[in-house]
PDB file of all heavy atoms in Angstrom:
ATOM      1  N   PHE A1061     245.672 -44.566  70.360  1.00 98.00           N
ATOM      2  CA  PHE A1061     246.857 -43.893  69.917  1.00 98.00           C
ATOM      3  C   PHE A1061     246.738 -42.387  70.292  1.00 98.00           C
ATOM      4  O   PHE A1061     245.646 -41.838  70.287  1.00 98.00           O
ATOM      5  CB  PHE A1061     246.987 -43.940  68.341  1.00 98.00           C
ATOM      6  CG  PHE A1061     247.481 -45.154  67.847  1.00 98.00           C
ATOM      7  CD1 PHE A1061     246.613 -46.099  67.225  1.00 98.00           C
ATOM      8  CD2 PHE A1061     248.769 -45.498  67.847  1.00 98.00           C
ATOM      9  CE1 PHE A1061     247.083 -47.289  66.715  1.00 98.00           C
ATOM     10  CE2 PHE A1061     249.311 -46.677  67.336  1.00 98.00           C
ATOM     11  CZ  PHE A1061     248.406 -47.545  66.749  1.00 98.00           C
ATOM     12  N   ALA A1062     247.848 -41.827  70.767  1.00 98.00           N
ATOM     13  CA  ALA A1062     247.923 -40.359  70.971  1.00 98.00           C
ATOM     14  C   ALA A1062     248.281 -39.633  69.700  1.00 98.00           C
ATOM     15  O   ALA A1062     247.718 -38.644  69.364  1.00 98.00           O
ATOM     16  CB  ALA A1062     248.877 -40.037  72.135  1.00 98.00           C
ATOM     17  N   ASN A1063     249.318 -40.213  69.016  1.00 98.00           N
ATOM     18  CA  ASN A1063     249.727 -39.632  67.718  1.00 98.00           C
ATOM     19  C   ASN A1063     250.682 -40.629  67.102  1.00 98.00           C
ATOM     20  O   ASN A1063     251.057 -41.638  67.710  1.00 98.00           O
ATOM     21  CB  ASN A1063     250.337 -38.248  67.874  1.00 98.00           C
ATOM     22  CG  ASN A1063     251.530 -38.269  68.855  1.00 98.00           C
ATOM     23  OD1 ASN A1063     252.563 -38.873  68.541  1.00 98.00           O
ATOM     24  ND2 ASN A1063     251.376 -37.617  69.969  1.00 98.00           N
ATOM     25  N   GLY A1064     251.115 -40.314  65.860  1.00 97.00           N
ATOM     26  CA  GLY A1064     252.129 -41.140  65.271  1.00 97.00           C
ATOM     27  C   GLY A1064     252.308 -40.857  63.727  1.00 97.00           C
ATOM     28  O   GLY A1064     251.475 -40.151  63.191  1.00 97.00           O
ATOM     29  N   THR A1065     253.435 -41.228  63.236  1.00 97.00           N
ATOM     30  CA  THR A1065     253.747 -41.067  61.831  1.00 97.00           C
ATOM     31  C   THR A1065     254.387 -42.397  61.257  1.00 97.00           C
ATOM     32  O   THR A1065     255.049 -43.147  62.029  1.00 97.00           O
ATOM     33  CB  THR A1065     254.724 -39.895  61.590  1.00 97.00           C
ATOM     34  OG1 THR A1065     255.989 -40.161  62.401  1.00 97.00           O
ATOM     35  CG2 THR A1065     254.128 -38.631  61.968  1.00 97.00           C
ATOM     36  N   LEU A1066     254.250 -42.526  59.965  1.00 95.00           N
ATOM     37  CA  LEU A1066     254.804 -43.726  59.316  1.00 95.00           C
ATOM     38  C   LEU A1066     255.430 -43.314  58.000  1.00 95.00           C
ATOM     39  O   LEU A1066     254.898 -42.491  57.285  1.00 95.00           O
ATOM     40  CB  LEU A1066     253.633 -44.666  58.945  1.00 95.00           C
ATOM     41  CG  LEU A1066     253.950 -46.065  58.337  1.00 95.00           C
ATOM     42  CD1 LEU A1066     254.618 -46.914  59.448  1.00 95.00           C
ATOM     43  CD2 LEU A1066     252.724 -46.730  57.830  1.00 95.00           C
ATOM     44  N   LEU A1067     256.681 -43.758  57.802  1.00 95.00           N
ATOM     45  CA  LEU A1067     257.424 -43.459  56.579  1.00 95.00           C
ATOM     46  C   LEU A1067     257.386 -44.619  55.653  1.00 95.00           C
ATOM     47  O   LEU A1067     257.903 -45.730  55.933  1.00 95.00           O
ATOM     48  CB  LEU A1067     258.858 -43.089  56.918  1.00 95.00           C
ATOM     49  CG  LEU A1067     259.735 -42.521  55.859  1.00 95.00           C
ATOM     50  CD1 LEU A1067     259.198 -41.173  55.352  1.00 95.00           C
ATOM     51  CD2 LEU A1067     261.214 -42.398  56.391  1.00 95.00           C
ATOM     52  N   PHE A1068     256.789 -44.408  54.497  1.00 92.00           N
ATOM     53  CA  PHE A1068     256.533 -45.517  53.501  1.00 92.00           C
ATOM     54  C   PHE A1068     256.978 -45.062  52.126  1.00 92.00           C
ATOM     55  O   PHE A1068     256.583 -44.032  51.658  1.00 92.00           O
ATOM     56  CB  PHE A1068     255.020 -45.848  53.536  1.00 92.00           C
ATOM     57  CG  PHE A1068     254.724 -47.116  52.745  1.00 92.00           C
ATOM     58  CD1 PHE A1068     255.076 -48.357  53.124  1.00 92.00           C
ATOM     59  CD2 PHE A1068     253.939 -47.017  51.544  1.00 92.00           C
ATOM     60  CE1 PHE A1068     254.731 -49.506  52.382  1.00 92.00           C
ATOM     61  CE2 PHE A1068     253.556 -48.112  50.786  1.00 92.00           C
ATOM     62  CZ  PHE A1068     254.013 -49.376  51.244  1.00 92.00           C
ATOM     63  N   ASP A1069     257.783 -45.930  51.512  1.00 90.00           N
ATOM     64  CA  ASP A1069     258.302 -45.519  50.148  1.00 90.00           C
ATOM     65  C   ASP A1069     257.633 -46.238  48.991  1.00 90.00           C
ATOM     66  O   ASP A1069     258.052 -46.207  47.846  1.00 90.00           O
ATOM     67  CB  ASP A1069     259.791 -45.746  50.088  1.00 90.00           C
ATOM     68  CG  ASP A1069     260.199 -47.292  50.101  1.00 90.00           C
ATOM     69  OD1 ASP A1069     259.279 -48.115  50.120  1.00 90.00           O
ATOM     70  OD2 ASP A1069     261.424 -47.570  50.057  1.00 90.00           O
ATOM     71  N   GLY A1070     256.475 -46.961  49.317  1.00 83.00           N
ATOM     72  CA  GLY A1070     255.791 -47.656  48.315  1.00 83.00           C
ATOM     73  C   GLY A1070     256.142 -49.114  48.138  1.00 83.00           C
ATOM     74  O   GLY A1070     255.386 -49.908  47.706  1.00 83.00           O
ATOM     75  N   LYS A1071     257.273 -49.440  48.708  1.00 84.00           N
ATOM     76  CA  LYS A1071     257.782 -50.781  48.698  1.00 84.00           C
ATOM     77  C   LYS A1071     257.906 -51.413  50.067  1.00 84.00           C
ATOM     78  O   LYS A1071     257.750 -52.565  50.266  1.00 84.00           O
ATOM     79  CB  LYS A1071     259.156 -50.863  47.936  1.00 84.00           C
ATOM     80  CG  LYS A1071     259.068 -50.505  46.466  1.00 84.00           C
ATOM     81  CD  LYS A1071     260.425 -50.632  45.859  1.00 84.00           C
ATOM     82  CE  LYS A1071     260.379 -50.253  44.322  1.00 84.00           C
ATOM     83  NZ  LYS A1071     261.724 -50.343  43.739  1.00 84.00           N
ATOM     84  N   LYS A1072     258.251 -50.511  51.049  1.00 86.00           N
ATOM     85  CA  LYS A1072     258.393 -50.985  52.413  1.00 86.00           C
ATOM     86  C   LYS A1072     258.313 -49.833  53.404  1.00 86.00           C
ATOM     87  O   LYS A1072     258.432 -48.646  52.962  1.00 86.00           O
ATOM     88  CB  LYS A1072     259.698 -51.753  52.664  1.00 86.00           C
ATOM     89  CG  LYS A1072     260.908 -50.944  52.554  1.00 86.00           C
ATOM     90  CD  LYS A1072     262.146 -51.779  52.926  1.00 86.00           C
ATOM     91  CE  LYS A1072     263.401 -50.935  52.975  1.00 86.00           C
ATOM     92  NZ  LYS A1072     264.510 -51.636  53.551  1.00 86.00           N
ATOM     93  N   VAL A1073     258.177 -50.155  54.667  1.00 91.00           N
ATOM     94  CA  VAL A1073     258.183 -49.133  55.709  1.00 91.00           C
ATOM     95  C   VAL A1073     259.652 -48.857  56.066  1.00 91.00           C
ATOM     96  O   VAL A1073     260.361 -49.722  56.393  1.00 91.00           O
ATOM     97  CB  VAL A1073     257.433 -49.615  56.933  1.00 91.00           C
ATOM     98  CG1 VAL A1073     257.573 -48.608  58.105  1.00 91.00           C
ATOM     99  CG2 VAL A1073     255.977 -49.845  56.617  1.00 91.00           C
ATOM    100  N   ASN A1074     260.064 -47.570  56.047  1.00 93.00           N
ATOM    101  CA  ASN A1074     261.432 -47.171  56.335  1.00 93.00           C
ATOM    102  C   ASN A1074     261.580 -46.570  57.704  1.00 93.00           C
ATOM    103  O   ASN A1074     262.643 -46.302  58.137  1.00 93.00           O
ATOM    104  CB  ASN A1074     261.967 -46.223  55.305  1.00 93.00           C
ATOM    105  CG  ASN A1074     262.316 -46.936  53.985  1.00 93.00           C
ATOM    106  OD1 ASN A1074     262.716 -48.094  53.950  1.00 93.00           O
ATOM    107  ND2 ASN A1074     262.079 -46.260  52.868  1.00 93.00           N
ATOM    108  N   GLY A1075     260.455 -46.284  58.375  1.00 94.00           N
ATOM    109  CA  GLY A1075     260.555 -45.719  59.705  1.00 94.00           C
ATOM    110  C   GLY A1075     259.130 -45.398  60.228  1.00 94.00           C
ATOM    111  O   GLY A1075     258.133 -45.472  59.507  1.00 94.00           O
ATOM    112  N   GLY A1076     259.086 -44.922  61.435  1.00 95.00           N
ATOM    113  CA  GLY A1076     257.824 -44.461  62.001  1.00 95.00           C
ATOM    114  C   GLY A1076     257.946 -44.400  63.462  1.00 95.00           C
ATOM    115  O   GLY A1076     258.873 -44.915  64.125  1.00 95.00           O
ATOM    116  N   SER A1077     257.031 -43.588  64.103  1.00 97.00           N
ATOM    117  CA  SER A1077     257.046 -43.402  65.574  1.00 97.00           C
ATOM    118  C   SER A1077     255.604 -43.283  66.023  1.00 97.00           C
ATOM    119  O   SER A1077     254.854 -42.440  65.504  1.00 97.00           O
ATOM    120  CB  SER A1077     257.927 -42.210  65.945  1.00 97.00           C
ATOM    121  OG  SER A1077     257.956 -42.059  67.365  1.00 97.00           O
ATOM    122  N   PHE A1078     255.237 -44.004  67.100  1.00 97.00           N
ATOM    123  CA  PHE A1078     253.873 -44.009  67.486  1.00 97.00           C
ATOM    124  C   PHE A1078     253.766 -43.860  69.088  1.00 97.00           C
ATOM    125  O   PHE A1078     254.521 -44.500  69.769  1.00 97.00           O
ATOM    126  CB  PHE A1078     253.113 -45.334  67.142  1.00 97.00           C
ATOM    127  CG  PHE A1078     253.247 -45.619  65.640  1.00 97.00           C
ATOM    128  CD1 PHE A1078     254.270 -46.390  65.191  1.00 97.00           C
ATOM    129  CD2 PHE A1078     252.359 -45.133  64.767  1.00 97.00           C
ATOM    130  CE1 PHE A1078     254.401 -46.637  63.794  1.00 97.00           C
ATOM    131  CE2 PHE A1078     252.450 -45.370  63.396  1.00 97.00           C
ATOM    132  CZ  PHE A1078     253.513 -46.163  62.943  1.00 97.00           C
ATOM    133  N   ILE A1079     252.917 -42.955  69.503  1.00 98.00           N
ATOM    134  CA  ILE A1079     252.754 -42.777  70.933  1.00 98.00           C
ATOM    135  C   ILE A1079     251.375 -43.310  71.312  1.00 98.00           C
ATOM    136  O   ILE A1079     250.356 -42.982  70.658  1.00 98.00           O
ATOM    137  CB  ILE A1079     252.805 -41.312  71.361  1.00 98.00           C
ATOM    138  CG1 ILE A1079     254.236 -40.709  70.868  1.00 98.00           C
ATOM    139  CG2 ILE A1079     252.592 -41.113  72.833  1.00 98.00           C
ATOM    140  CD1 ILE A1079     255.387 -41.329  71.618  1.00 98.00           C
ATOM    141  N   VAL A1080     251.323 -44.193  72.338  1.00 98.00           N
ATOM    142  CA  VAL A1080     250.051 -44.752  72.803  1.00 98.00           C
ATOM    143  C   VAL A1080     249.676 -44.172  74.168  1.00 98.00           C
ATOM    144  O   VAL A1080     250.548 -44.073  75.062  1.00 98.00           O
ATOM    145  CB  VAL A1080     250.255 -46.304  72.981  1.00 98.00           C
ATOM    146  CG1 VAL A1080     248.981 -46.914  73.458  1.00 98.00           C
ATOM    147  CG2 VAL A1080     250.584 -46.891  71.573  1.00 98.00           C
TER     148      VAL A1080
END
Side-chain angles (χ1 to χ4, degrees):
F1061 282 104
N1063 57 67
T1065 57
L1066 187 72
L1067 189 65
F1068 188 68
D1069 68 1
K1071 295 181 180 179
K1072 68 173 187 171
V1073 175
N1074 286 327
S1077 183
F1078 307 91
I1079 302 296
V1080 177

